[in-house]
Amino acid sequence: MSQLRAAAAAGGLRRSGGRAVPAARRSRKGASPRGGTQAPPPTPHVFSDPAEIGALRRNLLAWYDRCKRDLPWRTLAATEPDADRRAYAVWVSEIMLQQTQVATVIDYYNRWMQKWPTLQALAEASLEEVNELWAGLGYYSRGKRLQEAAKKVVSELAGRMPRTAEDLQKLLPGVGRYTAGAIASISYGQATGVVDGNVIRVLCRLRCIGADSSSPAVIDQLWDMANALVDRSRPGDFNQALMELGATVCVPKAPLCRECPVKQHCRAWRRVEKELAFASQKLFGKPTPVPDVEDCGVGGCPLCPPAMEPWDSSLGVTNFPRKAAKKQPRVARTATCVLERRGCHGAPEYLIVQRPSSGLLAGLWEFPSLPLDQDLQEEKQREALADHLRAWTGWPVVAGGLRFVGEVVHIFSHIHQTYVVYSLPLDGDVTLDPALTPSRWVTEEEFHASAVSTAMKKVLKAREKQRGEESSPGKGSKRKRATKPQGANSTRPGTQLSLRAFLRPPTSP
Ligand code: SF4
C-alpha cells in the first residue's frame, strides 16, 4: 500500500459539504490520529496534510471557476439533463482529445455531435462515415473503436451507458482507466481521479517526483494521489481543473508559476524560490545558509530523481516530470502515385484506393502506394512502383512515364514516413477489378471530403503545387523542376500526357 493510500486509510479526511476536515477536529469524536495507528511519516512526495488538501481543492476550483475555457463538451456536460447523453458527449470529447490539441478538436467535436447527437445515431452510422468525419484528426482507430463501443452499448446494454468508472472500463472497448474516470467524474459525479499527461506533469511538480514518470511505480503513485486529491463534491470540475492547469499554466516548457493558483502547495516552486532567495542573499553579501534541499532523504527512493541526474537549478520546476528516453521512430519510405485524369469541365480527378481494414490507417483511402526498401535507388523505386501499378491496373505501365513530384514527410506517432511522390496523368479511364482493392475516381472536393489521412492531403498539395508552377513558369519556386527527362517517354513541363503514352493496350483481346 502506498503511503498516500495508507494515509487515506488511516482516516486523514472526512467529507463535510465537500470540504476536507482536518483529522485533528475529528478527534473530538474519539479517533485521535495520534492515539491509535501511527500514520506513515509525511514525505515530500505525498499530500499527507488534510488541511493542505482542502486548501488545494478550494484554490484550484476557485481558479477554474474564474478562468476555465468555454468548450462545447463542457457546455453539454453542464446542461444535458439525460445521463446517457451527457456521458456520451463527454466520452466523444475524451476520445478526440487523446493525443490531440483542444483547438483542433473543437470543430471535429461540433460536427460529430451535430451528425450523431446520441449513441443510437452513432451506432447506426457506417464505418466509412466515421472515417470521413475523423479524417485529419489522426489516430484513426479511435473513431472506429468509439463506434464499435456505441454499437455494443445499444445492442448489449439496452442503450444505457455503464454508470461507474469500473464498469465503463470493463464493458466498453477502447475505454481505459483515464477515460472511464473522466466520464464517471464529469457525467455522474463519481469521486474518482484521473491521470493524463497534464495531470502527470502537475502532480510530479507539486510533489517533486523525478523518477521516470512512465514507470509503473510512479503511475501507481500518481493514481493514488489523484484519487485522494479529487474533490468529493465537485469531482468532475476538480479533474478538469487539474487538467486545465496543466494545459494553460503548468505547461511543459515555460510554466507560469507566479500566476499559479496552487503554487503555495508546490514543492518544485518552493525549491526554486529558496534557490532564488539564496542567490540574492549571496549577491548582497549576506550570510548564506545552504538552501534546504527537499529530497526525501530516503536512500534509493523510487520517486526521487535518479542519483545520476540530480536537480538541475537551470531547469527550475521543469526538472519535473522526467521520462525515459523516447524510442526513436521507425524510418519508412513509400512510393505513391497520383493517378489523374481530366473530369467534367477539365477539372482534374484522382484515383484513390482503400487501405486494408486493419493496421495503420485502417480503411482509409489513399493514392496507390508501395512500401520501399530503405536503400533502393531512385530508378529502382520508379520501376518498383510501375510494377505495382501494372499488377494492380492490368495495364503495362512504363516506369519512365511516372513523373517525380517530390518527397513528402509525415510523422506518425511511431513512424517517420517519407512518401516519394510521382504522378501519372491519364486521358482515359482505367477499369479496375472490383474484386481487388476498392478504388474510385474523385474530384478535388470529393477527395477532401473522403476518409483520407493528413499525409495524403500533403501528397495532393505537393502535386497541385507542381501543377501550379508548371502553368506559371518563372513564378514561385526558384528550384529546378523535379521532373527528369526520361528518354522516349519523357515528359515536358505543362504537357498533359496521353494514356497511350504509358499504358499500352493489353495484349489479350
Ligand atoms: Fe506548476 Fe509552477 Fe504551479 Fe508548481 S507552481 S504547479 S510548477 S505552474
Side-chain angles (χ1 to χ4, degrees):
M1 187 185 289
S2 74
Q3 287 172 321
L4 188 66
R5 201 182 280 159
L13 295 175
R14 75 176 169 86
R15 286 265 320 290
S16 173
R19 289 217 191 131
V21 179
R25 281 170 57 189
R26 193 179 45 191
S27 64
R28 278 182 286 156
K29 293 192 177 179
S32 167
R34 292 172 189 277
T37 315
Q38 185 81 30
T43 78
H45 301 309
V46 296
F47 283 92
S48 53
D49 177 3
E52 185 181 24
I53 294 176
L56 182 141
R57 289 173 179 167
R58 286 191 297 279
N59 292 335
L60 187 60
L61 283 168
W63 168 81
Y64 182 68
D65 290 340
R66 276 196 321 276
C67 303
K68 69 172 180 249
R69 291 169 291 180
D70 280 333
L71 299 171
W73 45 91
R74 287 185 180 157
T75 307
L76 273 174
T79 57
E80 173 56 60
D82 181 87
D84 290 310
R85 281 183 167 232
R86 200 164 59 235
Y88 169 67
V90 173
W91 181 19
V92 172
S93 71
E94 290 299 337
I95 298 292
M96 285 189 172
L97 286 165
Q98 289 168 11
Q99 318 279 346
T100 312
Q101 301 281 332
V102 165
T104 308
V105 166
I106 291 174
D107 179 50
Y108 282 89
Y109 183 80
N110 286 335
R111 283 191 287 123
W112 182 287
M113 295 306 292
Q114 210 168 11
K115 194 168 170 102
W116 302 302
T118 62
L119 275 164
Q120 288 71 16
L122 178 59
E124 285 169 14
S126 70
L127 179 59
E128 183 68 15
E129 288 177 294
V130 169
N131 279 337
E132 281 173 8
L133 202 145
W134 204 276
L137 201 52
Y139 299 92
Y140 294 88
S141 61
R142 293 181 296 170
K144 184 181 174 194
R145 285 216 302 271
L146 186 53
Q147 199 222 12
E148 283 168 0
K151 279 184 175 165
K152 181 173 179 181
V153 175
V154 170
S155 63
E156 296 177 26
L157 305 175
R160 192 170 185 271
M161 288 283 285
R163 287 291 193 266
T164 64
E166 295 72 23
D167 282 350
L168 285 160
Q169 191 178 350
K170 196 165 68 186
L171 296 174
L172 299 187
V175 171
R177 191 175 180 185
Y178 162 77
T179 308
I183 297 171
S185 62
I186 298 169
S187 311
Y188 310 138
Q190 184 184 349
T192 185
V194 295
V195 174
D196 74 343
N198 284 321
V199 173
I200 288 173
R201 184 166 57 257
V202 173
L203 296 184
C204 283
R205 288 174 179 173
L206 285 173
R207 281 304 175 255
C208 283
I209 294 175
D212 174 7
S213 64
S214 60
S215 69
V218 171
I219 293 293
D220 277 356
Q221 181 68 34
L222 297 176
W223 273 103
D224 285 349
M225 203 186 297
N227 282 327
L229 288 178
V230 66
D231 188 271
R232 268 49 185 172
S233 63
R234 296 179 61 191
D237 284 346
F238 181 88
N239 286 336
Q240 290 184 88
L242 207 51
M243 292 188 275
E244 186 91 339
L245 188 76
T248 60
V249 176
C250 193
V251 292
K253 288 200 177 131
L256 310 169
C257 294
R258 289 180 198 285
E259 298 168 25
C260 176
V262 295
K263 60 176 176 289
Q264 64 270 44
H265 310 292
C266 181
R267 291 188 183 278
W269 174 241
R270 207 176 297 166
R271 184 164 181 166
V272 169
E273 283 194 309
K274 278 185 182 167
E275 287 188 346
L276 287 172
F278 173 73
S280 125
Q281 282 185 343
K282 204 171 168 191
L283 192 66
F284 291 107
K286 292 187 181 168
T288 52
V290 176
D292 177 18
V293 175
E294 293 196 32
D295 282 344
C296 72
V298 176
C301 169
L303 299 176
C304 277
M308 302 298 288
E309 299 166 47
W311 167 274
D312 176 348
S313 294
S314 69
L315 296 177
V317 299
T318 63
N319 269 283
F320 309 112
R322 297 190 185 182
K323 281 189 196 156
K326 234 181 168 183
K327 223 174 129 188
Q328 286 298 310
R330 179 165 63 83
V331 174
R333 284 175 75 79
T334 296
T336 193
C337 184
V338 181
L339 280 163
E340 56 194 66
R341 71 179 183 187
R342 293 260 176 235
C344 294
H345 313 298
E349 290 182 348
Y350 305 100
L351 192 64
I352 54 175
V353 297
Q354 192 168 29
R355 289 181 62 84
S357 59
S358 60
L360 183 71
L361 306 174
L364 265 61
W365 294 79
E366 65 180 9
F367 296 113
S369 299
L370 176 72
L372 295 170
D373 287 340
Q374 275 306 310
D375 303 323
L376 212 58
Q377 299 296 312
E378 199 272 338
E379 198 181 326
K380 296 284 177 194
Q381 289 175 7
R382 191 185 287 266
E383 281 171 14
L385 181 61
D387 287 348
H388 174 68
L389 293 172
R390 194 158 46 235
W392 179 62
T393 60
W395 287 78
V397 179
V398 178
L402 298 170
R403 305 173 66 187
F404 180 65
V405 173
E407 293 196 351
V408 168
V409 174
H410 188 76
I411 312 290
F412 295 98
S413 56
H414 56 296
I415 302 173
H416 186 286
Q417 174 75 63
T418 301
Y419 291 96
V420 186
V421 184
Y422 295 87
S423 71
L424 182 56
L426 307 174
D427 64 0
D429 204 351
V430 174
T431 307
L432 297 167
D433 182 351
L436 298 173
T437 315
S439 61
R440 65 179 199 249
W441 286 98
V442 289
T443 62
E444 185 187 344
E445 197 180 327
E446 288 164 344
F447 175 87
H448 286 289
S450 300
V452 293
S453 66
T454 304
M456 283 300 123
K457 288 181 181 171
K458 286 188 194 173
V459 166
L460 182 58
K461 201 170 170 189
R463 169 62 190 131
E464 286 174 338
K465 182 168 179 247
Q466 184 190 52
R467 189 188 296 120
E469 287 170 1
E470 287 169 357
S471 60
S472 311
K475 258 185 153 185
S477 170
K478 290 178 185 165
R479 286 180 300 159
K480 281 187 176 177
R481 289 184 198 287
T483 307
K484 293 178 190 171
Q486 297 292 328
N489 289 314
S490 66
T491 58
R492 280 182 293 109
T495 306
Q496 180 69 22
L497 296 169
S498 160
L499 172 67
R500 288 176 205 86
F502 304 107
L503 303 179
R504 293 192 298 276
T507 47
S508 55

